[in-house]
Amino acid sequence: MTLDRAIAGIFVLICVIYGYTAFVTMEAGLLPFERNLTFLPNTMPKWLSILGAFIGLIVIVQSGPKEAGEIDPSEIDVRNLRQYKLGQAISLLVLMVAYALLLRPIGFLAATTLFICLGGYVLGERNYKLMVPIAAVAAFFIWYLVEQVLGIFLRPWPWLVYGGA
């Protein structure tokens, strides 16, 4: 089994579990008046699970076995993983987890600015005079859009500013 078929199989499994949740669990929790609405709270999850499972099945079916001598340059060679930049990928995953954990204690603006700066450093950017202001402006712009335009409250400052709550 090739790597893309294995990943597609895992994706189909996740979509089936998500679909079960949307079709069975969420359906049972609907209020009586919601059952007659055209667009229900679980309509989008239903369609996402169906579409995701369908696309995953297409990937599984279309990526059939290759002939013995055929080598596809775009395919990941599992036997030679050292040629890929796994250190960068793992570092970015660790950064994402750290970002999620630091989001509440140090606030959105500081956590996002740090994430963008450290992510840029991991990916090879070394121009700090340009990277830090761009990261700060981007973090502020994202916060402003989410807070003011979408109306979703994000704590921009560390938890100490809010009285430790």
Side-chain angles (χ1 to χ4, degrees):
M1 176 181 276
T2 60
L3 185 62
D4 55 345
R5 291 176 88 183
I7 292 172
I10 294 169
F11 184 71
V12 168
L13 180 68
I14 291 170
C15 287
V16 167
I17 293 169
Y18 187 58
Y20 176 79
T21 304
F23 279 96
V24 178
T25 309
M26 288 177 73
E27 192 79 30
L30 290 177
L31 298 172
F33 70 89
E34 288 179 328
R35 296 182 193 272
N36 297 328
L37 295 174
T38 305
F39 193 83
L40 302 174
N42 64 345
T43 302
M44 193 69 161
K46 284 180 180 179
W47 281 103
L48 283 175
S49 65
I50 292 169
L51 185 65
F54 181 70
I55 290 173
L57 289 173
I58 288 174
V59 170
I60 290 172
V61 171
Q62 282 190 347
S63 61
K66 306 278 187 220
E67 299 199 11
E70 187 179 341
I71 297 173
D72 188 8
S74 65
E75 202 169 293
I76 295 176
D77 185 12
V78 181
R79 295 173 303 230
N80 194 10
L81 282 178
R82 294 177 191 246
Q83 73 180 356
Y84 304 108
K85 297 182 179 182
L86 287 179
Q88 282 184 342
I90 292 170
S91 298
L92 285 175
L93 289 173
V94 168
L95 258 171
M96 287 181 216
V97 171
Y99 174 69
L101 293 174
L102 290 174
L103 198 55
R104 184 165 272 180
I106 68 171
F108 180 81
L109 295 176
T112 305
T113 303
L114 273 173
F115 176 73
I116 293 172
C117 288
L118 293 174
Y121 178 79
V122 166
L123 293 174
E125 180 61 44
R126 299 296 186 259
N127 189 356
Y128 304 112
K129 292 179 184 174
L130 191 61
M131 185 169 48
V132 173
I134 288 176
V137 169
F140 179 79
F141 185 69
I142 293 168
W143 171 79
Y144 181 79
L145 283 177
V146 170
E147 176 86 20
Q148 300 299 324
V149 177
L150 295 177
I152 300 171
F153 177 70
L154 284 175
R155 291 182 181 213
W157 310 115
W159 62 273
L160 292 171
V161 175
Y162 298 103

